[in-house]
Amino acid sequence: MRTVILIFLDCLAEAEDGGSMARARVLLALFVVVLVVDLALSVYLAFRGAFPAAPPLGSPTAYRNIYLHIPMAWASLALFTVSFVSAILYLATGREVYDRLVRASAAVGLVYAAGTLVTGSAWAAESWVGQHIGFSWTWDPRETSVLLLFLAYLVYFIIRASIPDPDRAATLSNVYAVAAYAMVPVVFLAPSVAHASLHPSFEQAAAFMRRPSVAPLFAAKVLTVMATAFLAVALAASRGWKAGIVRYVVAGLAAAYIIAAVVLASPYFTASLGYVKAASLEDGGIVSLKVETLSGRMIDVEFRHPVPSPVKPPVVRAPGGVTRPSIVGHIVEVGPLREGRIIVVTHWSVALSLALTGVEALAALLIAERMARG
Amino acid sequence: MDRRKRLIVFAVILFAVMLGVGIGAVKSSGYRDVCSVYSLKAPAELVVSGNISYYPPAPGYIVEIDGPRGRALLVSTPQSSSAYLVARVVRNQLEELTGDNRYAVFVLRGSCGRVAIALYSASEFIQKYGGNPVVSDVVVIDAVYKPGFTAKIFTRDGRLVYTGPVLLVNKILKGCHESYKETAATVG
């Protein structure tokens, strides 16, 4: 096990001498390829991903954040683990390569942790608080623990920058990097340590992720995000390379994430939207809807003929055993309802997460390039 | 012990300290237990959690709320469930209960075994959570506590079932734990 970890870390950080440029070129090419795959997956999941059919509050589509927010969070935890192991190895061996790995993984980990905080508070506003626009911070134990984790690693860079002597800075900051990792178990333990938590434990969330329509796509998304993050760390820990044109390619891909996010969120700018509060079904089709617009106006819509539900399955058993039409809770465009069309709109927090996924990848590459320059 | 070993030992000690601080911070920043309202002496807006105390089967319930400047009487309606009552205001001298003519009445039990009675505007409750809201066993509420307000919940035949301080709910924060047990849905 120890050997495997050492080989893995050496692979991440090797490239001090000759051949480093060739290695960096391969890593950069891989970075782009993985990012293209991640872009395709992310866009598909944000637009078409399966979600829990009848959550207690807010738009069910907000739960598509499962595919974007969770991989981000896991990537940051994985990178902080690399940082922890590398810091111990640096303290034990004094090899400079491990010090670079600590810095690289903590820096890229911070980017992903920041993304986790922003996307989490946008999702929580909808699914925990029922506040349809804006962000929310409820001091949920898991939220608090991720904030502590973020701050702990931010302090690592403050310590590092505040000590002028490089050797001393490396030693003290690596001692601190070992200690900062204590916040990772706190993140895991938070929901069970606290009296009550709105955040599900891993076991609770896993019940949904194991579903056949979710598991392969979720696993693929976790893999691509992890691969992007680890490639960025490998690049950051290498020396003597420049991103060159790849920088612009990755910026283009980040722009593609943002454009897809704008398209996903466009109904918020172009249409009148409302939440479905109640629905009646006849012969498997929807015959009437009660919709509350974002401005709080209630609208009753009666359809001349039953309209097929755009949400499949059309009827679900909600927690507590209550059966309800699965369209209830969804955001719909109000205008087309008069023409007998039901257009479901994805919650804006998913678009935000999609955009941030691209921005994070670009930020990780730019940080890596900056660190590689020394 | 050489310098490197000393550094690692120091790092491990610091790790343990940070772990303790982190767990302590998460524990203390979490939601307060509903029992904490028993120690409050002044009005407060707070976020508390409690276990839902279910209503035993009965033909109906009467909720009596005593405040410093009067009393209110509410009668349960058929929309009630075992987790909460939807109660109509039939008599009211309390200005705190003028926002709606029906209230969802929850009984929240804290870790000390005592209960608090949480009142939430029924119109807002049903508008926000739908006609048949799903209520978790543990509920987190953002509410206002005012000293001197107590509620008593009786069955229609006059048997006292619950009594406790009153919390006026601003919003219920919903956990998403139950969501993940559900069927996966898609749009298309």
Side-chain angles (χ1 to χ4, degrees):
Chain A
M1 185 65 187
R2 188 170 167 269
T3 319
V4 172
I5 292 171
L6 288 175
I7 291 172
F8 175 70
L9 293 178
D10 279 344
C11 283
L12 273 181
E14 199 184 344
E16 286 177 77
D17 1 80
S20 63
M21 193 58 213
R23 180 176 178 269
R25 272 199 208 109
V26 173
L27 289 174
L28 282 169
L30 273 174
F31 188 86
V32 171
V33 169
V34 171
L35 200 56
V36 169
V37 176
D38 185 73
L39 171 65
L41 257 176
S42 302
V43 171
Y44 175 78
L45 290 166
F47 281 80
R48 287 274 173 264
F51 45 80
L57 185 61
S59 166
T61 57
Y63 280 77
R64 282 184 176 143
N65 275 302
I66 288 169
Y67 306 105
L68 302 164
H69 167 80
I70 297 176
M72 258 179 222
W74 288 2
S76 71
L77 298 178
L79 293 182
F80 291 142
T81 304
V82 171
S83 170
F84 170 70
V85 176
S86 308
I88 291 178
L89 288 172
Y90 176 78
L91 294 175
T93 64
R95 279 181 67 194
E96 192 256 347
V97 68
Y98 294 127
D99 181 45
R100 271 192 288 137
L101 256 184
V102 177
R103 258 193 328 143
S105 47
V108 180
L110 263 182
V111 171
Y112 282 86
T116 306
L117 284 170
V118 175
T119 56
S121 69
W123 182 10
E126 176 70 4
S127 298
W128 292 354
V129 185
Q131 168 197 321
H132 301 317
I133 301 290
F135 297 84
S136 93
W137 190 267
T138 61
W139 293 108
D140 177 81
R142 178 62 70 75
E143 268 184 337
T144 309
S145 63
V146 176
L147 178 65
L148 288 174
L149 177 73
F150 177 78
L151 293 174
Y153 277 91
L154 204 60
V155 168
Y156 163 82
F157 286 98
I158 295 170
I159 291 176
R160 188 146 200 137
S162 62
I163 303 168
D165 174 16
D167 288 339
R168 211 172 145 73
T171 307
L172 288 179
S173 60
N174 279 301
V175 167
Y176 177 78
V178 173
Y181 188 73
M183 292 304 153
V184 171
V186 173
V187 169
F188 279 104
L189 292 171
S192 45
V193 162
H195 172 66
S197 175
L198 299 172
H199 206 288
S201 65
F202 176 72
E203 292 74 26
Q204 285 165 330
F208 181 76
M209 288 154 198
R210 279 197 210 103
R211 294 185 187 279
S213 59
V214 177
L217 292 166
F218 178 74
K221 181 69 180 100
V222 170
L223 277 178
T224 54
V225 173
M226 289 282 185
T228 310
F230 275 88
L231 284 167
V233 169
L235 283 163
S238 307
R239 273 185 179 162
W241 61 273
K242 280 183 184 164
I245 192 146
V246 172
R247 193 187 309 136
Y248 301 105
V249 173
V250 173
L253 288 171
Y257 280 93
I258 295 168
I259 291 166
V262 170
V263 171
L264 188 62
S266 61
Y268 276 88
F269 311 113
T270 58
S272 168
L273 304 180
Y275 278 78
V276 176
K277 291 293 170 182
S280 305
L281 268 75
E282 240 173 55
D283 303 329
I286 297 169
V287 289
S288 70
L289 289 178
K290 192 183 268 291
V291 175
E292 186 188 16
T293 64
L294 291 185
S295 56
R297 195 163 51 93
M298 290 302 286
I299 301 170
D300 287 300
V301 185
E302 301 273 342
F303 299 113
R304 271 190 228 131
H305 309 288
V307 178
S309 174
V311 184
K312 308 284 183 263
V315 180
V316 288
R317 187 176 286 273
V322 182
T323 303
R324 79 177 205 196
S326 55
I327 189 73
V328 172
H330 278 280
I331 306 164
V332 292
E333 288 188 25
V334 173
L337 293 176
R338 290 183 206 102
E339 301 150 25
R341 288 187 300 131
I342 305 172
I343 299 174
V344 171
V345 174
T346 300
H347 188 256
W348 66 270
S349 63
V350 180
L352 175 77
S353 301
L354 181 60
L356 281 181
T357 304
V359 171
E360 273 174 355
L362 178 61
L365 181 74
L366 295 179
I367 288 173
E369 193 180 15
R370 200 184 152 87
M371 292 187 108
R373 265 189 251 137
Chain B
M1 204 189 293
D2 71 13
R3 184 172 168 268
R4 297 209 173 280
K5 278 187 184 152
R6 271 205 317 273
L7 283 172
I8 292 173
V9 170
F10 180 57
V12 170
I13 292 170
L14 212 55
F15 176 94
V17 171
M18 294 265 292
L19 185 66
V21 169
I23 289 175
V26 164
K27 245 184 157 166
S28 60
S29 84
Y31 308 115
R32 293 161 76 169
D33 187 88
V34 80
C35 289
S36 64
V37 300
Y38 280 92
S39 57
L40 293 175
K41 300 278 181 275
E45 189 169 340
L46 63 173
V47 180
V48 287
S49 70
N51 290 292
I52 287 279
S53 272
Y54 290 89
Y55 289 93
Y61 287 93
I62 294 163
V63 183
E64 187 184 287
I65 298 163
D66 285 310
R69 267 169 272 141
R71 171 176 289 188
L73 215 59
L74 296 87
V75 176
S76 67
T77 67
Q79 282 98 51
S80 305
S81 79
S82 60
Y84 57 87
L85 300 179
V86 175
R88 190 165 45 84
V89 180
V90 290
R91 198 187 318 149
N92 183 22
Q93 299 165 328
L94 302 170
E95 62 183 53
E96 285 79 4
L97 292 189
T98 49
D100 201 350
N101 59 358
R102 287 184 312 155
Y103 284 86
V105 184
F106 295 87
V107 179
L108 302 183
R109 191 175 292 281
S111 54
C112 60
R114 299 166 88 178
V115 300
I117 314 294
L119 268 71
Y120 189 25
S121 154
S123 314
E124 204 175 318
F125 178 57
I126 290 165
Q127 180 251 330
K128 206 161 190 176
Y129 302 102
N132 290 303
V134 174
V135 177
S136 322
D137 287 342
V138 179
V139 170
V140 179
I141 56 168
D142 177 332
V144 173
Y145 169 77
K146 289 187 176 177
F149 281 83
T150 3
K152 289 187 184 124
I153 300 174
F154 300 95
T155 56
R156 290 220 169 169
D157 55 13
R159 187 166 55 86
L160 179 66
V161 186
Y162 295 114
T163 181
V166 172
L167 290 167
L168 298 165
V169 177
N170 293 326
K171 59 190 171 203
I172 300 177
L173 305 175
K174 292 295 282 187
C176 42
H177 312 148
E178 293 90 352
S179 313
Y180 296 101
K181 295 175 198 156
E182 292 171 21
T183 317
T186 50
V187 175

